[in-house]
Amino acid sequence: NPSNQNFHSLLIDGLSQTTPVDVISARPYSHKQQKIGYYPPMHQANFHYLGLMNAPILKPISIVKQAVKWIENIRKKDSIILVDSLNLTLFEVVKHCKNKWQIPVFALVTDLAENMSSVPNRYKQKMQKTYALYDGFLCLTEGINSKVNLLNKPFHIFHGLVKESRAQSNDKSYSPYFFFAGAIYRRYGIIALLEAFSLIQGDYQLLIAGQGPDVPYVLEACENDARIHYLGVLPRSEVLAYEAASLANINPRLFDVSLDQYSIPSKLLEYLASGRPTITTHHTLLLEEFGDYVIHAKEGDTVDLAEAMVALLKNEEHYNQLAKKAKEILFAHYDYQVVSQKIIDYLTSVTKMDSSF
């Protein structure tokens, strides 16, 4: 999942600013398709990549054995394990390490299994049974913590993290344009966005980047309206460059009251970090912080999104200034180094020791 990879990369980068970090991971790219021998180290972070056996039964067994072996070799007296709690294979790794070496284990919970797409119910039920093992929780929302931390273990809430980007786009061929990047699903608002843009008059463009099952709808819209362009899957550097040069970046995800308190739209934080105007549907938590600085598209139907785009076009300079202010507020509270230091403080206070991960 690209958004999860970006999230974990920022967290690793932030933590490694002040403490040694060892990262045990599968390669975040296809070794056959990309000629990349290694990822450069981040400050005090060392990456240990696992070889994979590409067989359904042997793959998780191989991961567990290799990861446990790595941890046995690199563990220290003051080691702490942070683990992505949404992965059952990784749970088997940390359960072994906790039982054998009494290493404190903290769950990083970015979402609830019950909200994940295409995950069998059996997997979700197993996931719920894992939470009792952990010594504490790092959760994106209070709602998530209330669901997973049933034994009232120590917890820390942080809503995300961002890093300043120097991305600049030299591509002027699409200007001026609205921009969307993310998973292309009907339930995430892509159809409403396409329909809304069709109502906008003028020489404006809509650029869409990402992948998902509803890409055919995007391609059909491109054929019907020459102002709509599908860019495919882009490197993160190009996504940031497009965001930094847009008229506005759009988060069209349809409002769902059942998800509102259990998820944080990381793409919205990324948009705010660009310094460009953000059009977004309702999210209670983030609009409490940034509601005065974004263009609110309400629950995200076609009319809501179209009205938000028109509002921007009628008063671009006003919203440009609000976007700059939103970026200042965002980095004061969500900068990856600030957030990471708070996480380190939490972990050391719970374990009563200086930490290495």
Side-chain angles (χ1 to χ4, degrees):
N1 184 317
S3 63
N4 273 354
Q5 287 185 16
N6 294 332
F7 177 90
H8 291 146
S9 178
L10 273 184
L11 182 58
I12 292 165
D13 196 0
L15 294 173
S16 68
Q17 302 276 338
T18 55
T19 192
V21 178
D22 283 284
V23 184
I24 299 175
S25 174
R27 291 177 181 271
Y29 54 83
S30 170
H31 188 55
K32 291 183 178 180
Q33 296 177 2
Q34 294 178 267
K35 295 181 180 179
I36 302 176
Y38 66 95
Y39 265 55
M42 298 178 184
H43 302 283
Q44 299 186 72
N46 294 307
F47 286 77
H48 311 282
Y49 291 112
L50 304 176
L52 298 178
M53 301 183 69
N54 194 20
I57 297 177
L58 296 178
K59 183 177 179 179
I61 296 174
S62 173
I63 289 175
V64 171
K65 286 185 175 180
Q66 289 182 76
V68 169
K69 187 65 176 177
W70 269 115
I71 292 173
E72 182 177 17
N73 291 335
I74 64 180
R75 64 190 175 91
K76 303 178 181 68
K77 184 179 180 180
D78 59 351
S79 289
I80 293 171
I81 295 178
L82 299 185
V83 63
D84 181 350
S85 67
L86 295 175
N87 189 310
L88 282 177
T89 301
L90 298 184
F91 171 76
E92 294 301 322
V93 173
V94 299
K95 180 174 71 172
H96 182 95
C97 295
K98 182 176 176 63
N99 291 338
K100 186 171 184 179
W101 300 302
Q102 291 74 54
I103 302 175
V105 178
F106 291 80
L108 180 61
V109 195
T110 56
D111 203 348
L112 296 175
E114 61 198 63
N115 295 336
M116 296 169 65
S117 303
S118 305
V119 175
N121 287 332
R122 183 181 177 185
Y123 188 97
K124 297 175 182 178
Q125 292 167 0
K126 286 184 176 180
M127 184 68 64
Q128 192 63 40
K129 295 178 181 178
T130 66
Y131 296 127
L133 171 103
Y134 297 111
D135 296 289
F137 295 88
L138 294 161
C139 300
L140 285 190
T141 71
E142 288 82 356
I144 290 177
N145 184 65
S146 69
K147 286 277 190 176
V148 302
N149 190 8
L150 300 181
L151 298 179
N152 198 28
K153 302 282 186 70
F155 65 90
H156 177 72
I157 306 297
F158 70 109
H159 303 313
L161 64 175
V162 294
K163 185 177 181 179
E164 182 71 64
S165 169
R166 304 296 180 185
Q168 293 184 348
S169 175
N170 295 319
D171 186 355
K172 304 297 182 183
S173 58
Y174 294 120
S175 297
Y177 62 84
F178 295 95
F179 186 68
F180 165 84
I184 299 179
Y185 286 77
R186 176 185 291 270
R187 68 177 180 272
Y188 294 162
I190 191 64
I191 306 302
L193 174 59
L194 294 170
E195 293 175 347
F197 184 74
S198 71
L199 303 176
I200 303 301
Q201 303 297 313
D203 188 23
Y204 304 106
Q205 316 290 308
L206 173 62
L207 308 188
I208 295 174
Q211 61 183 341
D214 291 322
V215 166
Y217 290 101
V218 177
L219 297 177
E220 182 180 353
C222 293
E223 293 180 2
N224 296 332
D225 188 339
R227 302 176 303 158
I228 301 176
H229 307 274
Y230 176 57
L231 306 179
V233 179
L234 299 176
R236 178 167 171 75
S237 59
E238 291 187 28
V239 170
L240 296 176
Y242 277 113
E243 290 171 356
S246 69
L247 272 173
N249 300 302
I250 303 179
N251 169 41
R253 184 162 184 164
L254 298 170
F255 177 73
D256 184 338
V257 66
S258 65
L259 297 178
D260 189 48
Q261 61 179 316
Y262 302 123
S263 66
I264 293 288
S266 59
K267 184 58 66 174
L268 179 53
L269 296 181
E270 184 179 298
Y271 286 167
L272 292 169
S274 73
R276 299 300 302 152
T278 297
I279 295 173
T280 182
T281 52
H282 185 78
H283 186 279
T284 301
L285 180 71
L286 293 183
L287 287 181
E288 285 176 358
E289 294 185 79
F290 301 103
D292 293 337
Y293 306 101
V294 300
I295 306 156
H296 192 199
K298 303 176 184 176
E299 295 190 3
D301 64 24
T302 298
V303 174
D304 292 337
L305 289 165
E307 288 178 347
M309 284 187 268
V310 169
L312 169 80
L313 295 173
K314 286 182 176 179
N315 203 346
E316 287 185 45
E317 184 54 34
H318 171 68
Y319 287 112
N320 286 340
Q321 293 304 314
L322 290 183
K324 293 178 182 178
K325 182 62 175 177
K327 182 177 180 178
E328 292 177 9
I329 297 173
L330 179 76
F331 276 93
H333 299 285
Y334 289 81
D335 178 80
Y336 76 114
Q337 292 176 299
V338 173
V339 172
S340 297
Q341 186 57 56
K342 290 180 179 179
I343 290 173
I344 290 173
D345 293 343
Y346 154 73
L347 293 171
T348 54
S349 70
V350 172
T351 60
K352 308 301 182 186
M353 63 185 179
D354 295 331
S355 307
S356 60
F357 302 93

